Amino acid sequence: MLTILFDGIAYGMLLFILAVGLAVTMGLMNFINLAHGAFAMVGGYITVLLMQQFDVPFLLCLPLAFLGSALLGAVLERTLYRPLYHKPHLDQVLFSIGLTFMAVASADYFIGSGQQIVQLPEWLKGRTELGDGAWMLGMGHYRLFIIAVCAALTVALQYVLTKTRFGSRLRASVDDQRVAAGMGINVNVVFLTTFAVGSGLAGLGGALGAEVLGLDPSFPLKFMIYFLIVVAVGGTSSITGPLLAALLLGVADVAGKYYIPKLGGFIVYSLMIAILIWRPQGLFVRKGGK
Amino acid sequence: MSNTQNLLRQTGRWKRWEIPLWLLALVLPLVLPEHALIINEIAIVALFALSLDLILGFTGIVSLGHAAFFGMGAYSAALFAKLVMPDPLVGLAVGIASATVLGALCSATILRGTDLTRLMVTLGVALILGELANKMDWLTGGADGLQGVMMGPLLGQFEFDLYGRVAAWYSLAVLLVMFVLTRRLVNSPFGATLKAVRDNRLRAMAIGIAVNSRLVLVYTVAAALAGAAGALLAQTTGFASLDLFEFHRSADVMLILVVGGVGWLYGGITGAIVFKLMQDAISSITPQYWTFWIGLFLVVLVLVGRERLFRPWTWLGKRKTGGAA
């Protein structure tokens, strides 16, 4: 039972890394970006290709995946996304669906439709077991690693958003762009950086998750729903909301698939609908926020 | 007769060009028998888009899960034909009825929250149904789909033929009936209140429109139309599969509607024609990667703007603001 809890937490953490970038773009910048999964896929493919073709060690691939998708995010933000910030949500939805379709078809064309496999280094492959009987806790090392990375990221993000100068600039730009610009904040640069970091985080999530979730061209569509659930349920005003939502969903999903495999994804979706009817703005809403 | 009634009657009147257009559509399967299959498909998709237009174009609710009702109609019509009786019209009624019930149940989910919440909840409903259809394989055939649906003759007279001509007429006729009903609906005082809700919900509430009950009602009606489209698809193809519930169905129909024009009843039909012909053309060139081109088209459409893309002459001269959205 503890093992399931542990796996659920690891899965939730992974979802969190994947979704947190989306929470930032969607929650703070108010842009419904359904193409977020495409950035995650890019990160995953960067890792796989680097490891297969150039024998780059796994640990080095992770920052490269981050940088690669952050760069792509920055370029796309500058060229395509920026004009759409003030368009209606419907336009944003259509645009990002279009982008996702293109990403899926391109990945299929250039890399092939097969599932890619990540070769983990030896030291991440093992498994430690504690206790026995019903309370046995089995921890895959790779899952421990994910939890550690994610915890570090959460702390760092929380610190950046609440304690640093950039964080306050970002929050100011989000709350009122015009006033922020009038105060001498370069809103465009702030948004560009934020979007790039968000995409980079998605890429990192994709790189970390390739082994657990599987990586093929349909990745953006398959997991888009999970990211959106995390963000919608968690609320978009803070980091802790999506984190708790991701943990909740991760545990519910793993436990549901283990105990009642017949129902599959059913539990997660029902949970989401129930929560959203109960609290339409998400579980954690900043008072007076949009 | 008051001014308002006059106005409603004016906008609701049939224009002169509309009747020949429908006659032409009904003659098409006879003139182009080899294209009857695609005509059938266009009619079905047009009905589906018409249904989405009711809630998106006339009420302003974004939904990413409209496929839920489409699939519900398809599965119930197919199951009814397989297990109870093969008469198409009764099956159609069953499909519509089940989608209506589902729509009424789900309508509570769209009343609260932001656009994002609505997108997620509607999407979630479609996913749940897809999952159910997958897991209840003793009934639905699971991932293999529901096969072996045999339809009886239409009205006891017309057998569905291999060329799909009867099917095309059947779908066109249903589309026409539904179109007339929808048209009647949106040009009624009820339709006017819907538009008021779309344009400014707060003000609509302030002048005494019962916003929530309107939304519930229109969502249910839209679900019924989508169910009819799904039932038609299942009946004319004799097949229902999990793919009916998939995300890309909902995305496609949204795209179709936006291409054709939101908030305009012919928008869904125009969009369906453009989209299906385009799909047919592109997928005969690159069958595997046609989604790339559809994605590119969407991106360009949004960036350039629908108005400007379809009226290239407006690129020259001053950009006008506004226009039909």
Side-chain angles (χ1 to χ4, degrees):
Chain A
M1 202 170 83
L2 281 178
T3 310
I4 296 168
L5 193 65
F6 174 81
D7 279 353
I9 290 173
Y11 185 52
M13 289 282 203
L14 192 59
L15 282 182
F16 173 70
I17 302 182
L18 281 163
V20 68
L22 186 64
V24 172
T25 42
M26 193 138 80
L28 298 179
M29 293 152 83
N30 199 17
F31 188 101
I32 298 192
N33 181 20
L34 298 187
H36 193 71
F39 292 107
M41 181 180 71
V42 169
Y45 273 120
I46 289 178
T47 308
V48 166
L49 289 183
L50 281 178
M51 288 179 75
Q52 283 176 355
Q53 311 282 329
F54 305 100
D55 287 328
V56 180
F58 180 70
L59 276 188
L60 188 60
C61 286
L62 294 180
L64 287 176
F66 177 86
L67 286 178
S69 29
L71 194 67
L72 182 71
V75 171
L76 287 180
E77 201 273 349
R78 186 72 196 80
T79 50
L80 297 178
Y81 277 87
R82 191 170 293 172
L84 292 174
Y85 283 146
H86 299 290
K87 289 273 183 81
H89 281 160
L90 178 64
D91 279 356
Q92 298 172 354
V93 167
L94 287 170
F95 168 78
S96 45
I97 289 178
L99 216 56
T100 312
F101 280 171
M102 284 167 74
V104 170
S106 315
D108 198 349
Y109 181 77
F110 286 113
I111 305 172
S113 57
Q115 182 141 4
Q116 302 289 336
I117 294 158
V118 175
Q119 278 301 326
L120 289 177
E122 279 304 320
W123 57 276
L124 281 175
K125 275 185 186 161
R127 186 179 159 87
T128 309
E129 290 183 355
L130 296 173
D132 54 357
W135 296 99
M136 192 201 53
L137 170 62
M139 298 182 291
H141 290 168
Y142 186 59
R143 289 188 161 69
L144 267 180
F145 176 71
I146 289 178
I147 293 181
V149 171
C150 172
L153 269 179
T154 315
V155 173
L157 276 175
Q158 186 71 13
Y159 177 78
V160 169
L161 278 178
T162 54
K163 293 275 164 33
T164 61
R165 199 176 180 82
F166 180 79
S168 19
R169 281 189 175 155
L170 175 61
R171 281 176 290 136
S173 314
V174 166
D175 282 342
D176 196 323
Q177 276 196 34
R178 279 183 54 198
V179 172
M183 303 277 283
I185 297 173
N186 192 338
V187 176
N188 280 344
V189 171
V190 170
F191 276 10
L192 179 70
T193 319
T194 313
F195 194 88
V197 172
S199 315
L201 284 173
L204 179 63
L208 278 173
E211 203 263 344
V212 181
L213 306 173
L215 184 68
D216 59 57
S218 68
F219 185 88
L221 286 172
K222 215 160 44 183
F223 289 98
M224 177 190 84
I225 296 151
Y226 279 84
F227 313 149
L228 286 169
I229 293 177
V230 168
V231 176
V233 168
T236 45
S237 53
S238 61
I239 297 288
T240 36
L243 176 64
L244 289 176
L247 290 180
L248 180 68
L249 288 167
V251 173
D253 200 29
V254 170
K257 279 183 178 147
Y258 183 80
Y259 287 114
I260 332 171
K262 273 251 112 183
L263 287 179
F266 190 76
I267 294 175
V268 172
Y269 305 141
S270 322
L271 191 66
M272 170 191 75
I273 291 181
I275 292 180
L276 284 183
I277 290 178
W278 173 46
R279 306 199 66 160
Q281 309 287 340
L283 284 175
F284 303 92
V285 191
R286 181 175 45 172
K287 288 259 164 60
K290 280 187 264 194
Chain B
M1 194 188 290
S2 75
N3 254 342
T4 335
Q5 272 175 322
N6 239 336
L7 185 76
L8 282 177
R9 217 154 270 197
Q10 285 269 313
T11 46
R13 190 168 294 160
W14 285 81
K15 310 274 181 306
R16 204 169 286 158
W17 50 272
E18 287 179 85
I19 294 158
L21 210 67
W22 280 101
L23 288 177
L24 179 73
L26 287 173
V27 172
L28 269 184
L30 202 63
V31 188
L32 302 167
E34 69 272 29
H35 296 300
L37 284 175
I38 195 163
I39 293 173
N40 176 40
E41 239 177 280
I42 289 177
I44 290 170
V45 173
L47 182 57
F48 191 25
L50 183 70
S51 142
L52 184 65
D53 200 16
L54 255 187
I55 58 170
L56 180 66
F58 288 93
T59 328
I61 297 170
V62 281
S63 160
L64 263 186
H66 217 52
F69 309 117
F70 191 67
M72 187 73 187
Y75 265 98
S76 42
L79 282 173
F80 184 79
K82 199 172 173 183
L83 304 175
V84 188
M85 63 182 284
D87 185 76
L89 286 179
V90 183
L92 180 65
V94 169
I96 294 176
S98 63
T100 311
V101 171
L102 181 68
L105 286 178
C106 296
S107 58
T109 60
I110 56 153
L111 296 178
R112 304 180 62 190
T114 54
D115 277 355
L116 171 66
T117 321
R118 259 178 242 126
L119 283 177
M120 287 317 299
V121 172
T122 48
L123 185 61
V125 171
L127 289 171
I128 286 185
L129 285 178
E131 199 72 38
L132 276 183
N134 188 14
K135 298 293 174 184
M136 290 164 63
D137 43 12
W138 48 271
L139 183 67
T140 61
D144 297 329
L146 190 66
Q147 285 157 350
V149 178
M150 296 301 288
M151 295 313 300
L154 195 59
L155 299 171
Q157 301 260 339
F158 308 102
E159 285 281 350
F160 285 100
D161 51 15
L162 271 180
Y163 306 104
R165 272 162 67 179
V166 173
W169 270 312
Y170 177 44
S171 301
L172 278 172
V174 175
L175 173 66
L176 178 60
V177 172
M178 297 290 176
F179 181 82
V180 172
L181 291 178
T182 315
R183 194 191 158 98
R184 193 82 189 91
L185 185 75
V186 298
N187 288 319
S188 67
F190 175 79
T193 59
L194 287 183
K195 286 174 219 164
V197 173
R198 172 192 65 189
D199 293 340
N200 191 336
R201 188 184 279 218
L202 210 59
R203 189 183 291 170
M205 245 183 249
I207 60 172
I209 296 172
V211 171
N212 281 356
S213 68
R214 300 290 147 119
L215 291 182
V216 165
L217 197 58
V218 75
Y219 199 68
T220 310
V221 173
L225 290 184
L232 286 179
L233 186 71
Q235 290 179 338
T236 52
T237 56
F239 183 64
S241 70
L242 290 181
D243 147 88
L244 291 171
F245 289 110
E246 265 181 22
F247 169 72
H248 77 89
R249 286 262 172 199
S250 306
D252 282 354
V253 71
M254 206 166 185
L255 163 67
I256 286 171
L257 188 58
V258 170
V259 168
V262 180
W264 179 52
L265 286 180
Y266 281 101
I269 299 176
T270 320
I273 297 171
V274 172
F275 184 83
K276 274 288 160 201
L277 293 181
M278 203 162 79
Q279 182 183 28
D280 209 39
I282 298 177
S283 54
S284 66
I285 306 168
T286 56
Q288 204 180 345
Y289 306 112
W290 91 277
T291 51
F292 177 85
W293 300 106
I294 214 78
L296 185 67
F297 179 72
L298 263 182
V299 169
V300 171
L301 180 81
V302 174
L303 285 179
V304 176
R306 197 180 68 84
E307 278 298 299
R308 299 212 296 147
L309 191 65
F310 290 107
R311 294 189 180 74
W313 56 92
T314 53
W315 290 14
L316 308 167
K318 271 188 193 159
R319 274 177 66 179
K320 271 195 287 182
T321 46

